[in-house]
Amino acid sequence: MTDDTHVTPGDAFELLMAGNRRFVAGSPEHPNQDAARRAALTSVQQPFAVLFGCSDSRLAAEIIFDRGLGDLFVVRTAGHVAGPEVLGSLEYGVGLLNCPLVVVLGHEGCGAVAATRTAIDDGVAPDGYVRDVIERVTPSVLAARAAGLTQDSAIIAAHTRNTVGLLLDRSRVLADHVSAGHTAVVGLTYSLADGSARLVAAHGLTAAHLAEAQSS
């Protein structure tokens, strides 16, 4: 994070996306990854963003957004499905760590979405707790199909937007912080091929930041 302790939601979003642009260009700066940064964080943390993403091994947040220690408060589950523990973690990041940005990060080739599509088509759900993941992703896939979406990228984007909406519907803490202008909640989808993150949903960002994100 920068030395400014009053980073706005728009500032935080730009910090994150600037790091992704460096990653895509192959020119990462690897900020905040030295011994001095490690020592500075022994008693306090002040991340500028909460990142809620899929557990996929190809989605390492600090790498794809070119950030370092103490920059991101990361929560990950398969298919970025959100239960009480996830909501509590996100509220901790916003309510106690004062993060001005919450990011839901989906990605192309998501195994949880693919497994859900297969389960719907075959009428057979997996055993164990994987079934719970499938059940939580199913509403997104069914809604996407009802809207006529068939491509993987379109369904992934729909699932990411649905997760953003679910967080704001279920968490009064997040919704209140967005309404007060303290926090933005956005949805991004990540391309495995070129490493870019694309904005697909946004609540609490200014028109200027939205226009910049859409043009980049």
Side-chain angles (χ1 to χ4, degrees):
M1 188 170 172
T2 66
D3 291 334
D4 183 3
T5 58
H6 300 287
V7 176
T8 69
D11 293 336
F13 180 71
E14 178 50 35
L15 277 173
L16 195 74
M17 298 307 289
N20 180 245
R21 289 191 292 270
R22 294 194 300 270
F23 173 69
V24 171
S27 56
E29 296 176 356
H30 305 293
N32 298 328
Q33 297 182 19
D34 56 11
R37 177 67 168 181
R38 184 179 69 236
L41 293 170
T42 55
S43 60
V44 66
Q45 62 169 319
Q46 193 177 21
F48 69 82
V50 178
L51 195 142
F52 175 37
C54 181
S55 299
D56 193 290
S57 62
R58 299 164 291 183
L59 219 64
E62 285 85 356
I63 294 177
I64 66 178
F65 291 108
D66 191 30
R67 299 310 312 179
L69 298 173
D71 288 334
L72 304 176
F73 187 76
V74 180
V75 182
R76 299 175 69 181
T77 64
H80 51 81
V81 298
E85 298 85 354
V86 166
L87 290 167
S89 297
L90 301 183
E91 290 183 354
Y92 181 89
V94 169
L96 296 179
L97 298 181
N98 299 312
C99 292
L101 179 67
V102 176
V103 178
V104 176
L105 182 64
H107 68 99
E108 67 178 19
C110 179
V113 172
T116 301
R117 296 173 70 180
T118 298
I120 292 172
D121 291 339
D122 296 345
V124 179
D127 295 328
Y129 285 103
V130 175
R131 179 191 297 266
D132 185 66
V133 174
I134 299 302
E135 290 175 350
R136 291 172 186 262
V137 178
T138 293
S140 294
V141 174
L142 291 178
R145 289 186 172 183
L149 304 178
T150 58
Q151 293 186 338
D152 179 70
S153 60
I155 295 174
I156 295 296
H159 178 46
T160 303
R161 286 191 292 268
N162 186 59
T163 301
V164 169
L166 181 147
L167 298 182
L168 291 171
D169 285 343
R170 294 186 61 187
S171 172
R172 177 51 53 192
V173 171
L174 294 184
D176 286 348
H177 273 71
V178 172
S179 297
H182 300 320
T183 304
V185 180
V186 305
L188 302 175
T189 56
Y190 176 74
S191 168
L192 296 177
D194 65 19
S196 63
R198 180 174 66 92
L199 184 69
V200 296
H203 300 265
L205 287 183
T206 65
H209 283 103
L210 288 173
E212 183 176 349
Q214 292 166 354
S215 64
S216 61

